[in-house]
């Protein structure tokens, strides 16, 4: 039978499916084959080579993979599922969190060689790895065989707290040094845009890595690294260290042979020539196919994930696609040029007179996505996203269209045509591929090009709006626009690309004529009509921003026509390299107590050796579970159809509330509080509520099948998702917290000189713990009990709840916790949900079950920091003394009041200020959202912010300096706080005075005033904020167990607190070593268990380290008491001799303490003061934090190095809350729209202060508490609100120029991006009457009004 040989592939003559020619020779070179699609048997002759497997190396070990995996399987999933690399972590699976970094060899077209790049392993499909050499954290080193210098340096700089991101931080720097052996500090900071760290605040990570820079500061010890040290790796075959290039950078596919693999449900191709690609495009033009290169697009649009396609064609093998060329008229890039490669070409050619815009383009590409994505993704892939989704804010499209680039498009018939980018948007790319792009040269020197990208944070963020402007100007003729200009926008609406009417208007006109500029802005305003889409920033903000960017461009190109005050409006922020100082003291006479040292597990964390729950290798018969969640927020379940999901290969069972055993409780909350169902029994209370779980043989199958469960609903009602809606509908939980009164506030206010009323609001914050909620449950041998490895802050409570759910004794449930990969309160009560679900599945299936919540489910299902809405009334004297405060605080608790923190507001609500009368009224709002829960400082953060907002308001009304007004009302020693505590040891006045001096506050105020006077469109602000943080740990129960081993005297401790990055284990070892007088290296802290540490409360509230230190001290005292009689009979025994003698005499060498502290020592205050200086771009709303000074009373810190890290990390988490983070919910369903890294933006390295100075108060032992120390986990987060107030003061400086310097409330910057009319407090900013851009008209900055004239300044998204 005849058959058609398709290049190197064989096509079935019946169904025309392509196949790999398999070996198995018959005579005369004829082969036999059975079609895998239709079963037809046919014969053919093989005429060319073809591969049906991929081969790559990981840490020097070669792996060959055939068709046994799914096409969607990532390199990360392969490495983790096969046990190749557990040190390479996983979280978001979309390239946004950066914990999965590895390095791999990729072709570099600029050097025409294979080089090492850092990549996000979660984005790399396994079958694209053909020929790659991958290095993971395990390949660099470990403490036993030898640390790599990068691993060691990060640990020594205290750059690892929870440790979950630490391997990625190391691999990122390794990849940078492999390509840039002598980077500058600026290059290092630029590269650190990929891995999120929620713990450290980035400063120690950046310092550690900048210490390798060629221009490292003297205060960053360590020095550069030579090539031999850099290439020192652990050879995976032997486990030994090797130096030099034992695994040279070369491809393992030297034959360059095309690839075809028939997989289950799909086919994978890797052509090696353009002609082979054209043939494949023709063959599969009508099929569901996708071209694959960087694979980063599904992080934005899930429907283009590789699992959605039947045919995948890998473009990495086509060498000619890596071509690029530069001549006098144009620059050409092939489609496989990555964003990184393109940026390097821009940088290298930025001084070319005809390509001067490359300087701007290089800067723009540097803020597209992150390092790992830029190393993987190509410019052509970015454009294809724009082709598929015209609303996509493609930076590449904006840049290319601004300069008038042209594309070359290849078709399956072999033809190649050119296309403009505008035509490309509507071009059907089926059967087509981008071949190249041509960028023009502008040698005339009179073409001015500028592009802009305004984002929620400074790195790794998509744009609110992108813009590009190109004009050919006659500078000698009042900036006459000689040819039709180009005004390009992204992010306005799906259809608008060019501001065509404005382009036409400007052609031939003099840009230097104020009337022309005014007319251009009016024309532009008329044609910019933004889309209204949930999740996007507000339409008014985006429109105003777009106009402001045009105005900013004009200011830049016409700067010599503008007065000096206005010129700064034409420039962007230039962020210098950041720096930090940390100042503290310690007592050497008490070492190792108070000794600054890194965590004892730091090098294990930085080398990827520590195991988190999901790093535990699977055991025999272990299966995987995934939640099925609701998609509406207020309805009843009608039907649940699992038939399609159950038919998916590998799926074992669907488990729901019906499977809960008789007598078991369908609630993951303890008795005595409201029920929160493990699985919904009928009434859906919020979108994201678990309905059941799918159990399958692997995680990918479980997640996939869970998404295939079909649910219908009835009685669907609009969800309540805002506090305003809940208040209007009186949706309230009764009796959650009681009114709290001190004196008669109403009377005091009524008799005051002034009464000031207002409202302040704050929103959600997602914890963003890098390790998502996870539990592994193992069945007991008796078939009844279970043992859990769980990422929980509260093992005791989890034991109780699982026992109730399964209707078994608590003694039949064992819970073990070694460490957490971050928590911040999210794993106090919410960890019980996956634990119960996994335990139920184990009970049903009698098999070990692993439930690791995927990131998106985690964000939808788990509650966040609770939002608050406060209405207040304040009484004050004319001199500025507070007389009374009435405040009603509404809290959005979600669907349950179980985790409400309204009742604990009183200890913090007055912060550092004395007010004689109070009336606090709490209102618990019920919404159709997940139960909002504890999040670092859950009661202190909102209550202190409300107080500080009131202080800002009153100071403004009184026309007093905010700092002076605060100082006037600061507590004095002996005064009584609102909660009744007498402040016996109050030093807040002295601390504020000390900070004023050390931070040079008064001089800086004058400098800022001078700067603001000299600059119209850049403004600075400064804020000083004091802090009083009340801490009370009375009756805090923790079980601590300690034993001394008689053989060598080593000590093991098990504590009720859980290590989650705060360094509790290290501190307990320090305390023990100090008390017993033994070396720390003889002490080990064991995992927390519900046996040794039973009946312990949760880890949290900043009290855990102190109270467990108390428990360790008590244990040590017990042991010393028992040992003393034996020691008295010996002469100067060593510790080992003493222990051996005690053992021989029958002395009990184990001790246990159960803490239950009481009395005044359990209740004390932490004081602090913060000075924050910011700068705001009035036209765009962008801001940067220039400097932060923190003075913090940490008492006599048990470990200043660890505590400094805690303070910095908490402060930066607070910056995220106030400056970059927001949760948005669909108003019709209540579903979280910001459920991934594309939309939710915690801070990154360039969001921290440029100059970050933190000082612990010296010679300030705590007269209360444990070992004279004070807590540090939560208070610094509250201090971060100073940044928001500094921004507010910068805005006030802009408003004062137009006589609008009145009070306005300013809440979270990101919160106002989408929620309501913005900048009601800004209006009619006057430009002035002279010179170009200073004529007698006005720039209206009210985001909720129509424009009056040329532009609207936008004060970043908080004002949008």
């Amino acid at each position: 039978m005849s058959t058609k040989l398709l290049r190197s592939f064989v096509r079935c003559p019946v169904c025309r499916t392509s196949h790999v020619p398999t070996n198995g020779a018959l005579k005369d070179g004829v082969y036999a084959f059975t079609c895998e699609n239709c079963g037809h048997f046919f014969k053919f002759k093989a005429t060319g080579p073809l591969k049906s497997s991929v081969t790559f190396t990981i840490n020097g070990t070669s792996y060959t993979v055939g068709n046994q995996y799914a096409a969607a399987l990532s390199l990360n999933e392969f490495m983790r599922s096969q046990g190749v690399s557990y040190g390479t972590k996983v979280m978001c699976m979309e390239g946004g969190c950066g914990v999965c970094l590895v390095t791999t060899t990729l072709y570099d077209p600029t050097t025409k060689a294979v080089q090492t790049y850092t990549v996000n392993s979660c984005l790399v499909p396994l079958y694209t790895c053909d020929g790659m050499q991958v290095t993971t954290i395990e390949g660099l080193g470990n403490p036993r065989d030898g640390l790599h210098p990068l691993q060691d340096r990060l640990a020594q700089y205290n750059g690892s707290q929870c440790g979950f991101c630490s391997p990625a931080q190391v691999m990122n720097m390794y990849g940078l040094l492999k390509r840039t052996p002598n980077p500058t500090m600026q290059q290092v900071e630029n590269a650190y845009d990929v891995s999120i760290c929620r713990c450290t605040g980035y400063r120690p990570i950046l310092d550690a890595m900048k210490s390798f820079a060629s221009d490292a500061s003297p205060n960053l010890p360590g020095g550069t690294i030579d090539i031999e040290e850099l290439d020192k790796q652990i050879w995976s075959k032997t486990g030994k260290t090797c130096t030099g290039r034992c695994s040279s950078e070369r491809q393992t596919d030297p034959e360059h042979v095309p690839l075809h693999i028939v997989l289950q449900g799909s086919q994978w191709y890797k052509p090696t020539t353009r002609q082979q690609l054209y043939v494949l495009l023709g063959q599969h033009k009508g099929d569901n196919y996708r071209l694959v290169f960087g694979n980063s697009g599904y992080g934005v649009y899930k429907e283009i994930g590789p699992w959605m396609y039947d045919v995948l064609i890998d473009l990495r093998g086509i060498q000619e696609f890596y071509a690029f060329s530069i001549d006098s008229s144009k620059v050409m890039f092939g489609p496989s040029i990555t964003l990184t490669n393109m940026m390097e070409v821009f940088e290298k050619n930025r001084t070319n007179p005809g390509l001067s815009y490359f300087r701007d383009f290089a800067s723009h590409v540097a803020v597209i996505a992150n390092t790992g994505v830029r190393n993987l993704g190509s410019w052509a892939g970015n454009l294809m996203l724009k082709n598929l989704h015209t609303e996509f804010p493609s930076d590449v499209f904006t840049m290319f269209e601004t300069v008038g680039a042209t594309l070359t498009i290849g078709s399956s018939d072999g033809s190649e045509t050119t296309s403009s980018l505008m035509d490309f948007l509507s071009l059907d790319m089926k059967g087509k591929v981008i071949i190249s792009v041509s960028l023009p040269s502008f040698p005339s020197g009179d073409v001015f090009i500028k592009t802009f990208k305004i984002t929620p944070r400074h790195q790794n963020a998509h744009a609110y709006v992108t813009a590009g402007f190109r004009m050919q100007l006659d500078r000698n003729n009042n900036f006459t626009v000689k040819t039709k200009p180009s005004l390009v926008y992204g992010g306005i609406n799906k259809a608008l690309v060019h501001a065509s009417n404005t382009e036409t208007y400007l052609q031939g006109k003099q840009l230097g004529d104020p009337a022309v500029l005014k007319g251009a802005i009016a024309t532009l305003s008329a044609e910019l009509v933004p889309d209204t889409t949930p999740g996007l920033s507000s339409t008014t903000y985006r429109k105003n921003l777009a106009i402001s960017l045009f105005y900013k461009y004009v200011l830049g190109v016409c700067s010599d026509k503008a007065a000096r005050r206005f010129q700064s409006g034409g420039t962007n922020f230039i962020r210098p390299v950041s720096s930090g100082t940390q100042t503290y003291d310690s007592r050497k006479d008490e070492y190792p107590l108070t000794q600054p040292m890194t965590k004892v597990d730091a090098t294990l964390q930085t080398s990827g050796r520590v195991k988190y729950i999901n790093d535990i290798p699977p055991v025999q018969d272990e299966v995987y579970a995934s939640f099925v969640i609701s998609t509406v927020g207020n309805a009843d379940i009608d039907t649940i159809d699992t038939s399609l999901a159950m038919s998916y290969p590998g799926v074992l069972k669907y488990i729901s509330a019906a499977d809960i055993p008789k007598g078991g409780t369908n609630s993951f909350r303890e008795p005595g509080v409201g029920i929160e169902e493990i699985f919904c029994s009928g009434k859906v209370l919020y979108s994201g509520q678990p309905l059941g779980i799918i159990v399958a043989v692997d995680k990918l199958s479980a997640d996939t099948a869970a998404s295939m469960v079909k649910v219908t609903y009835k009685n669907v009602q609009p969800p309540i998702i805002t506090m305003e809606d809940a208040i209007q509908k009186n949706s309230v939980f009764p009796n959650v917290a009681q009114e709290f009164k001190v004196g008669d506030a109403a009377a005091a206010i009524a008799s005051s000189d002034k009464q000031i009323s207002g409202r302040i609001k704050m929103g959600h914050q997602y914890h963003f713990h890098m390790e998502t909620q996870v539990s592994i449950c193992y069945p007991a041998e008796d078939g009844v009990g279970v043992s859990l490895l769980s990422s929980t802050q509260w093992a005791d409570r989890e034991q109780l709840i699982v026992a109730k759910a399964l209707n078994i004794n608590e003694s039949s449930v064992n819970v073990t916790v070694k460490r957490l990969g971050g928590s911040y309160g999210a794993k106090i009560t919410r960890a019980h949900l996956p634990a119960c679900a996994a335990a139920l599945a184990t009970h049903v299936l009698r098999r070990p079950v692993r439930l690791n919540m995927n990131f998106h489910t985690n964000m939808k299902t788990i509650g966040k920091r609770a939002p608050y809405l406060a209405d207040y009334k304040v009484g004050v004297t004319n001199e500025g003394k507070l007389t009374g405060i009435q405040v009603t605080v509404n809290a959005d608790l979600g669907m349950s009041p179980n985790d409400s923190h309204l009742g604990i507001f009183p200890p913090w609500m007055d912060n550092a200020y004395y007010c004689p009368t109070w009336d606090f009224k709490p209102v618990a709002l019920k919404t159709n959202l997940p139960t909002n829960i504890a999040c670092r400082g859950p009661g202190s953060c909102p209550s202190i912010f409300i107080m500080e907002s009131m202080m800002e308001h009153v100071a403004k009304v009184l026309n007093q300096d905010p700092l002076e007004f605060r100082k006037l009302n600061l507590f004095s020693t002996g005064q009584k706080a609102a909660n009744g505590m007498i402040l016996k040891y109050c030093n807040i006045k002295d601390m504020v005075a000390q900070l004023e001096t050390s931070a040079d506050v008064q001089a800086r105020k004058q400098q800022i005033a001078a700067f603001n006077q000299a600059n119209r469109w850049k403004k600075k602000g400064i804020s000083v904020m004091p802090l009083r943080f009340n801490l009370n740990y009375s009756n805090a129960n923790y079980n601590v167990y300690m034993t001394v081993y008689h053989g060598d005297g080593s000590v093991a401790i098990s504590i009720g607190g859980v290590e989650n990055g705060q360094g509790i284990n290290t501190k307990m070892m320090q305390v023990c070593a100090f008390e017993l007088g033994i070396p720390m290296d003889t002490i080990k802290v064991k995992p927390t268990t519900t046996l040794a540490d039973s009946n312990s409360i949760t880890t949290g509230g900043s009290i855990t380290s102190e109270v467990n230190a108390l428990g360790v001290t008590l244990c040590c005292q017990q042991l010393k008491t028992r040992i003393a009689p034996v020691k008295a009979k010996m002469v100067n025994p060593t510790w080992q001799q003493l222990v051996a003698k005690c053992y021989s005499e029958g002395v009990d060498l184990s001790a246990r303490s159960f803490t239950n502290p009481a009395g005044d020592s359990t209740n004390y205050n932490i004081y602090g003061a913060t000075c924050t200086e910011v700068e705001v771009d009035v036209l765009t709303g962008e801001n940067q934090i220039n400097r932060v000074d923190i003075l913090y009373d940490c008492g006599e810190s048990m470990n200043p190095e660890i505590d400094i890290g805690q303070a910095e990390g908490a402060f930066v988490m607070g910056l995220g809350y106030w400056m970059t983070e927001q949760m948005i919910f669909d108003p019709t369903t209540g579903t979280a729209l910001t459920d991934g890294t594309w939309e939710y933006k915690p801070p990154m390295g360039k969001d921290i202060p440029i100059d970050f100075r933190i000082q612990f108060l010296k010679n300030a032992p705590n007269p209360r508490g444990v070992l004279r120390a004070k807590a540090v986990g939560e208070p610094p987060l509250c201090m971060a609100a100073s940044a928001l107030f500094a921004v507010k003061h910068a805005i006030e400086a802009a408003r004062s120029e137009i006589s609008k310097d009145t009070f306005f409330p300013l809440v979270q910057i990101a919160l106002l991006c989408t929620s309501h009319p913005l900048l009601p407090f800004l209006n009619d900013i006057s430009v002035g009457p002279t010179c170009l851009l200073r004529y007698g008209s006005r720039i209206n900055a009210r985001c909720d009004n129509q424009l009056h004239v040329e532009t609207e300044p936008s004060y970043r998204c908080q004002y949008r």
Side-chain angles (χ1 to χ4, degrees), residues 1143-1205:
Y1143 177 73
S1144 69
E1145 295 190 9
V1147 174
D1148 183 1
L1149 293 174
S1150 296
R1152 171 189 163 271
S1153 69
F1154 184 72
T1155 65
N1156 189 32
D1160 287 346
S1161 65
T1162 67
N1163 190 8
Y1164 64 83
N1165 291 300
I1166 299 154
Y1167 295 98
T1170 305
C1171 176
T1172 301
E1173 178 187 320
V1174 305
E1175 187 173 349
V1176 172
D1177 186 320
V1178 178
L1179 293 176
T1180 65
E1182 295 169 289
N1183 63 69
Q1184 64 181 14
I1185 303 172
N1186 291 340
R1187 177 174 164 181
V1188 167
D1189 296 78
I1190 296 175
L1191 178 62
Y1192 187 83
D1193 178 9
C1194 201
E1196 202 170 272
S1197 169
M1198 296 184 202
N1199 186 326
E1201 187 166 336
I1202 284 177
D1203 286 344
I1204 283 281

Side-chain angles (χ1 to χ4, degrees), residues 230-275:
L230 177 63
D231 284 328
K232 184 182 292 184
Q233 297 184 16
I234 300 297
W235 185 245
S236 60
K237 293 180 179 178
T238 64
K240 303 297 182 182
T241 302
C242 64
T243 58
R245 304 205 170 198
C246 53
S247 179
S248 61
E249 291 179 347
R250 57 180 178 82
Q251 288 180 300
T252 57
D253 180 28
E255 299 86 5
H256 209 59
V257 175
L259 171 74
H260 181 205
I261 304 177
V262 179
L263 306 165
Q264 181 178 336
S266 62
Q267 300 182 71
W268 188 280
Y269 294 97
K270 183 182 178 183
T272 58
T273 67
R274 191 187 310 187
Q275 288 69 33

Side-chain angles (χ1 to χ4, degrees), residues 168-414:
Q169 308 291 358
V170 171
M171 295 310 300
N172 190 26
M173 190 64 186
Y174 179 71
L176 174 64
L177 291 175
K178 288 290 285 183
R179 300 196 68 238
T180 311
N182 295 294
T184 64
M185 291 195 293
Q186 186 65 69
Q187 287 175 309
V188 172
E189 289 204 350
N190 291 345
Y192 270 77
D193 63 352
V194 55
S195 297
I196 294 171
C197 177
R198 195 54 140 171
C199 294
T200 66
Y202 297 99
R203 195 276 312 161
I205 297 173
L206 295 175
D207 278 0
M209 299 316 174
K210 286 185 294 188
S211 73
F212 290 99
S214 58
D215 60 345
S217 303
N219 65 328
L220 299 177
T224 58
I225 183 172
D226 61 44
I227 192 66
E228 287 190 1
E229 284 293 301
L230 177 63
D231 284 328
K232 184 182 292 184
Q233 297 184 16
I234 300 297
W235 185 245
S236 60
K237 293 180 179 178
T238 64
K240 303 297 182 182
T241 302
C242 64
T243 58
R245 304 205 170 198
C246 53
S247 179
S248 61
E249 291 179 347
R250 57 180 178 82
Q251 288 180 300
T252 57
D253 180 28
E255 299 86 5
H256 209 59
V257 175
L259 171 74
H260 181 205
I261 304 177
V262 179
L263 306 165
Q264 181 178 336
S266 62
Q267 300 182 71
W268 188 280
Y269 294 97
K270 183 182 178 183
T272 58
T273 67
R274 191 187 310 187
Q275 288 69 33
Q276 290 175 1
L277 174 62
Y278 286 159
V279 172
L280 290 173
L281 290 175
Q283 177 186 353
H284 295 289
K285 184 176 180 179
D287 297 333
N288 183 27
Y289 78 90
R290 182 188 168 199
L291 303 180
V292 180
F293 186 79
N295 196 46
S296 59
Y298 81 83
V300 185
Y301 299 109
K302 297 299 180 286
E303 75 271 15
I304 63 170
W307 55 87
M308 303 295 292
Y309 295 87
D310 302 323
V311 176
L312 297 114
I313 304 173
D314 181 3
L315 301 180
R316 287 193 175 271
I318 304 176
Q319 199 72 12
E320 58 197 293
F321 277 8
Y322 294 95
F324 75 93
S325 63
I326 301 176
D327 59 36
S328 59
S329 62
K330 67 179 184 305
V331 178
M332 187 280 293
F333 290 110
S336 293
I337 298 292
T338 65
L339 295 171
T340 294
N341 298 149
M342 189 169 68
M343 181 172 64
E344 291 168 345
V345 173
F346 290 155
E347 286 279 2
K348 185 176 181 180
N349 293 276
R350 61 193 301 174
T351 59
N352 185 322
L355 301 172
S356 59
Y357 67 90
F358 274 16
R359 180 187 305 271
D360 195 62
F361 274 22
S363 299
H364 196 135
V365 175
V367 293
I368 297 176
N370 59 56
T371 296
V373 171
R374 291 194 299 271
N375 287 343
L376 279 174
S378 69
W379 63 265
N382 190 282
L383 285 186
M384 282 303 300
L385 283 183
K386 184 72 172 176
N387 176 269
L388 291 170
H389 292 271
T390 55
E391 78 280 3
F392 174 62
S394 167
D395 296 281
V396 173
F397 182 89
T398 298
M399 294 161 57
F400 285 3
E401 180 60 16
T402 297
V403 298
T406 58
L407 299 176
T408 300
I409 308 293
S411 298
S412 57
D413 60 6

Side-chain angles (χ1 to χ4, degrees), residues 53-56 65 70-76 104-106 119-134 251-253 259 261 263 268-270 290-295 306 312-317 322 376:
S53 62
V54 298
T55 299
F56 51 91
V65 174
L73 192 77
S74 68
L75 172 62
N76 181 278
T104 189
T105 52
L106 299 171
V119 299
N120 300 76
S121 63
C122 72
L123 294 179
V124 180
L126 178 66
Y127 288 102
T128 65
C129 293
D130 197 28
M132 293 183 183
Q133 291 189 331
V134 178
Q251 288 180 300
T252 57
D253 180 28
L259 171 74
I261 304 177
L263 306 165
W268 188 280
Y269 294 97
K270 183 182 178 183
R290 182 188 168 199
L291 303 180
V292 180
F293 186 79
N295 196 46
L312 297 114
I313 304 173
D314 181 3
L315 301 180
R316 287 193 175 271
Y322 294 95
L376 279 174

